[in-house]
Amino acid sequence: MRSPALRRLLLLLLAAIPGAAFAAPATVAEAAAGQRAAMVEWRRDFHRHPELGSREVRTGEAIARELRAMGLSPRTGIAHTGVVAVLKGARPGPRIALRADMDALPVKEETGLPFASTATSSYRGQPVGVMHACGHDMHMAILLGVARALVARRDSLAGEVMFVFQPAEEGPDEPGAPFGAKMMLDEGVWKDFRPEAVFGLHVWAGLRTGQVGFRSGPSLASADEWSLSVRGRQTHGSRPWDGVDPITIGAQILLATQSLVARQVNIADTPVVLTAGQFNAGVRFNIIPDEARLVGTLRTFDPAVREDVIARFRRIADDYAHAAGGSAALEVLDNAPATVNDPALARRVWPSLQAAVGADNAVEMPLVTVAEDFSRFANEVPGAYFFVGTTPTDQDPTAMPINHSPKYAPDEAALEVGARVMLQVALDYLQGGAGSGG
């Protein structure tokens, strides 16, 4: 019998031989390790060439090319640039879907990495830098690695796996435009292949490399993009009584929304975040304009609470505007519902996470107020979504640049961890038991 060290060495040597990567490794850990070099190469290529949502043309072509090289037959152009491929095992069994997102962010990179992005583009009419500041380059590389490891096991695999590479997770170019997971579903991505369960992951600076975070039930918040238009009446800045000041009205409404959250919502039961990210009005220092516009986000974990907060927000806006002689109109766009990890599926997934990284490294996550349109898939079939740590073990996660920072530089060792976890979860589900994927 070969020792574990010798077996690992042989695996790494075989992985360097073209075509040998498809020889089925003996364990999940070895399968993930065998894909590490390829995942690093894929990740760096995606990182050098980021593309904004629904524009992932080069990215989609690269993914499809790699899937074809594995012997799969990818479908392309779903929701503009999305790619899917199905692997059929040698034996009948469950159907599952594994999902990764593809898009980058309108962020100018400041990591100083040798493969840093220098890409530029436009976003909502503004020139921007483009960067994989959220780690989607890691997600795509991990899923490609998992796909190749599962292809290597095709002859012993029971069931079918759909690999879903989804565009535009971060949202549409223009408010209200179709995008992402919902658009893929609307275009029938699961029409001929409806999985029993869907799995996804996100790299996360708040955890150390080697750690995986997960929770049953509500996990990530919903994301609403709201826009508030306040109409007043233009006048000279020196004579505000001759007009109606929409800037003052908008400021009063904004402050009142914070009182709404602090005094009208039971935040001990469910968190709510209501934030303004833009406040635009006027063109000159001494003119009170006709209109002010505020744009922001609402994050909730309960659909009933969401509806209640929106109704209260609208009432506050109307009342403050009316009291000042103006008017207000609130528009709310549902970009993503809350992500809820199906409790029954969570009970199956938790032992798999522990098997993959060890019980001490499987962490129960708190509620996270970021959002993910993975929830669209998880509202169709039971879903499970987990976090993979990217902060090196010798560094403090609280001091590291977080996702969406121009300095976010995840530890590439997390690629192997993510592949190991996703592979363990997938194989355990297909084989009907926890920790059985080795």
Side-chain angles (χ1 to χ4, degrees), residues 68-413:
R68 290 189 190 99
M70 298 175 201
L72 300 175
S73 300
R75 292 167 53 203
T76 60
I78 307 168
H80 300 306
T81 54
V83 182
V84 300
V86 174
L87 169 63
K88 293 186 177 182
R91 296 182 289 118
R95 282 181 164 181
I96 63 172
L98 309 179
R99 174 268 200 178
D101 35 14
M102 303 163 61
D103 53 327
L105 284 161
V107 172
K108 183 179 180 181
E109 182 157 356
E110 298 175 9
T111 62
L113 292 168
F115 51 89
S117 165
T118 58
T120 59
S121 187
S122 62
Y123 180 73
R124 298 192 179 185
Q126 299 293 324
V128 293
V130 184
M131 175 193 174
H132 271 296
C134 199
H136 298 185
D137 52 339
M138 301 278 284
H139 302 171
M140 291 182 285
I142 288 169
L143 189 54
L144 284 173
V146 170
R148 199 157 75 164
L150 287 173
V151 167
R153 294 171 177 255
R154 187 200 302 259
D155 291 344
S156 62
L157 197 66
E160 302 176 50
V161 183
M162 174 181 277
F163 306 105
V164 180
F165 293 87
Q166 178 213 306
E169 183 275 329
E170 299 289 353
D173 265 4
E174 297 300 329
F179 74 97
K182 185 177 186 300
M183 192 173 182
M184 293 188 88
L185 290 166
D186 289 345
E187 291 185 5
V189 68
W190 285 351
K191 180 181 178 183
D192 299 319
F193 183 102
R194 187 171 182 83
E196 295 179 12
V198 59
F199 301 97
L201 60 76
H202 207 298
V203 293
W204 193 243
L207 296 172
R208 286 187 170 89
T209 303
Q211 290 183 312
V212 174
F214 184 68
R215 68 177 287 123
S216 179
S219 179
L220 285 77
S222 62
D224 290 292
E225 181 176 349
W226 57 264
S227 174
L228 177 68
S229 296
V230 180
R231 294 289 301 176
R233 187 171 69 252
Q234 186 166 315
T235 187
H236 198 287
S238 67
R239 297 179 59 83
W241 50 85
D242 286 338
V244 176
D245 185 352
I247 297 176
T248 300
I249 297 170
Q252 290 172 327
I253 293 170
L254 180 59
L255 291 175
T257 62
Q258 303 311 298
S259 294
L260 184 167
V261 173
R263 290 293 179 266
Q264 298 180 42
V265 177
N266 182 0
I267 55 174
D269 183 56
T270 180
V272 171
V273 177
L274 202 163
T275 296
Q278 294 175 265
F279 194 149
N280 300 314
V283 294
R284 185 174 166 83
F285 76 98
N286 64 347
I287 299 175
I288 293 173
D290 276 327
E291 185 175 9
R293 185 168 181 265
L294 292 84
V295 180
T297 187
L298 170 65
R299 304 298 171 105
T300 60
F301 292 90
D302 184 314
V305 171
R306 171 185 177 271
E307 292 297 330
D308 179 62
V309 170
I310 292 172
R312 292 175 184 273
F313 188 177
R314 185 166 280 116
R315 185 164 62 246
I316 285 170
D318 289 342
D319 289 351
Y320 270 92
H322 179 73
S327 62
L330 176 66
E331 182 181 9
V332 181
L333 300 175
D334 175 17
N335 281 350
T339 298
V340 179
N341 287 326
D342 180 80
L345 185 59
R347 287 192 291 271
R348 296 183 62 173
V349 165
W350 184 249
S352 297
L353 301 181
Q354 292 179 311
V357 297
D360 291 342
N361 286 321
V363 179
E364 185 171 359
M365 291 287 288
L367 291 171
V368 178
T369 52
V370 301
E372 246 285 358
D373 75 344
F374 174 85
S375 56
R376 300 286 187 188
F377 295 126
N379 282 353
E380 293 289 319
V381 300
Y385 193 80
F386 43 88
F387 293 90
V388 175
T390 61
T391 291
T393 55
D394 61 345
Q395 298 185 39
D396 180 4
T398 64
M400 296 296 288
I402 63 172
N403 302 64
H404 285 220
S405 165
K407 292 181 168 60
Y408 180 52
D411 182 1
E412 288 184 329

Side-chain angles (χ1 to χ4, degrees), residues 418-432:
R420 186 166 72 243
V421 171
M422 184 66 87
L423 189 58
Q424 185 80 57
V425 168
L427 288 171
D428 286 349
Y429 189 94
L430 294 172
Q431 295 174 7

